[in-house]
Amino acid sequence: MKKLIEIDETTLTKLKILSAFEDLSVKKLMEKAIVLFVQSKEKEQSEKLTDEQKEDIGLLLLMQQADRNDTVSREEIFKALEE
């Protein structure tokens, strides 16, 4: 996906200098910076969650991984509940 953004000259000059130090293209440097920023924000958000919210997200992730074609009979469910 290609997106055009406007960057002021001062920031662009700083990006060019940093990219030279990092031995990366300006594009790669910006991509790396964005990934780090997003990870930082995700971590920040996850630290704000309550234990119940964390459990809910964990359950949601497990449900997304489940095979929807794998079914269990009603008898097997009741048998497991009796144990």
Side-chain angles (χ1 to χ4, degrees):
M1 171 176 24
K2 209 169 203 170
K3 297 288 179 184
L4 298 176
I5 59 171
E6 290 186 31
I7 300 174
D8 63 86
E9 285 299 318
T10 305
T11 305
L12 183 58
T13 303
K14 291 176 182 179
L15 279 170
K16 287 178 181 179
I17 292 169
L18 284 171
S19 69
F21 285 133
E22 294 289 322
D23 195 30
L24 294 170
S25 69
V26 172
K27 178 184 177 214
K28 287 290 181 191
L29 181 67
M30 289 177 66
E31 288 171 350
K32 185 177 177 181
I34 291 167
V35 167
L36 290 173
F37 179 78
V38 170
Q39 288 174 345
S40 169
K41 287 298 177 182
E42 287 174 340
K43 183 178 178 186
E44 193 176 291
Q45 287 297 104
S46 70
E47 289 172 352
K48 291 180 182 179
L49 294 175
T50 66
D51 288 340
E52 185 176 345
Q53 290 171 323
K54 288 177 185 176
E55 289 174 4
D56 290 345
I57 290 173
L59 181 58
L60 175 65
L61 293 173
L62 285 173
M63 289 171 62
Q64 288 175 342
Q65 294 174 3
D67 181 6
R68 291 186 175 136
N69 296 322
D70 189 16
T71 58
V72 178
S73 69
R74 179 174 274 185
E75 291 79 27
E76 288 178 284
I77 293 172
F78 284 115
K79 185 177 177 181
L81 289 174
E82 290 174 2
E83 294 175 359

